Amino acid sequence: MANESIFQIIDNQADNFKRLRNEHAREVTEDYVEMIANLIDQDGEARAVALAERFGVSPATVNNTLKRLERDGYVTSKPYRAIFLTDNGRILAKTCKERHQMVCDFLIAIGVDRNIAEADAEGIEHHVSEATISFFRDFLDKKIG
């Protein structure tokens, strides 16, 4: 009986690790797609070297991530050329920007310093549920309206 509970604990732990890896991959996807959109807005194009500089990672890391994003249908790119968002990539980037802004605005509305709210929103935006975002929106609508 005791061994069964140990096996269950190990299985649960493995499930939690898998869930966290999947969430981390989604977070990286969202960060990259959002940054690509920002670079396109700012510079007219996004390049792997700019992503490596912004994220503080190696060009190889960026290239591996871009391959995954291309496989998943968020970007198109060719070696030594600009990176472009697909329709799905643009939708995800817009959603991420809106979520980030909503979290940031909410934190500021409850009294968090703007700089701290910006930094905290960057982490929170990836883990907050749609239900919570809806609550933030309702709160802000009541406070502003």
Side-chain angles (χ1 to χ4, degrees), residues 100 103-108 112-122 124:
H100 176 92
V103 171
C104 189
D105 290 349
F106 176 79
L107 293 173
I108 291 167
V112 177
D113 175 79
R114 178 172 296 282
N115 292 330
I116 294 170
E118 273 293 334
D120 287 351
E122 185 55 44
I124 294 169

Side-chain angles (χ1 to χ4, degrees), residues 61-124:
T61 298
V62 169
N63 288 330
N64 288 336
T65 302
L66 289 174
K67 285 177 189 174
R68 183 171 55 79
L69 293 177
E70 193 161 6
R71 182 197 71 216
D72 292 346
Y74 294 112
V75 303
T76 60
S77 66
K78 295 190 187 237
Y80 310 107
R81 307 274 318 263
I83 303 154
F84 301 95
L85 293 172
T86 63
D87 289 342
N88 286 340
R90 282 188 289 281
I91 290 167
L92 181 60
K94 183 177 186 263
T95 300
C96 291
K97 286 179 183 183
E98 290 171 354
R99 179 177 293 181
H100 176 92
Q101 194 60 55
M102 183 65 61
V103 171
C104 189
D105 290 349
F106 176 79
L107 293 173
I108 291 167
I110 61 171
V112 177
D113 175 79
R114 178 172 296 282
N115 292 330
I116 294 170
E118 273 293 334
D120 287 351
E122 185 55 44
I124 294 169

Side-chain angles (χ1 to χ4, degrees), residues 17-69:
F17 289 155
K18 182 178 180 182
R19 182 184 51 78
L20 288 172
R21 278 193 309 278
N22 289 338
E23 286 179 7
H24 179 69
R26 190 194 72 215
E27 185 175 340
V28 169
T29 295
E30 290 174 353
D31 283 345
Y32 268 74
V33 168
E34 191 174 1
M35 182 61 73
I36 291 166
N38 290 342
L39 288 168
I40 291 170
D41 289 346
Q42 176 184 313
D43 301 334
E45 67 178 8
R47 294 195 172 267
V49 66
L51 291 169
E53 289 171 3
R54 295 294 198 298
F55 288 124
V57 298
S58 72
T61 298
V62 169
N63 288 330
N64 288 336
T65 302
L66 289 174
K67 285 177 189 174
R68 183 171 55 79
L69 293 177

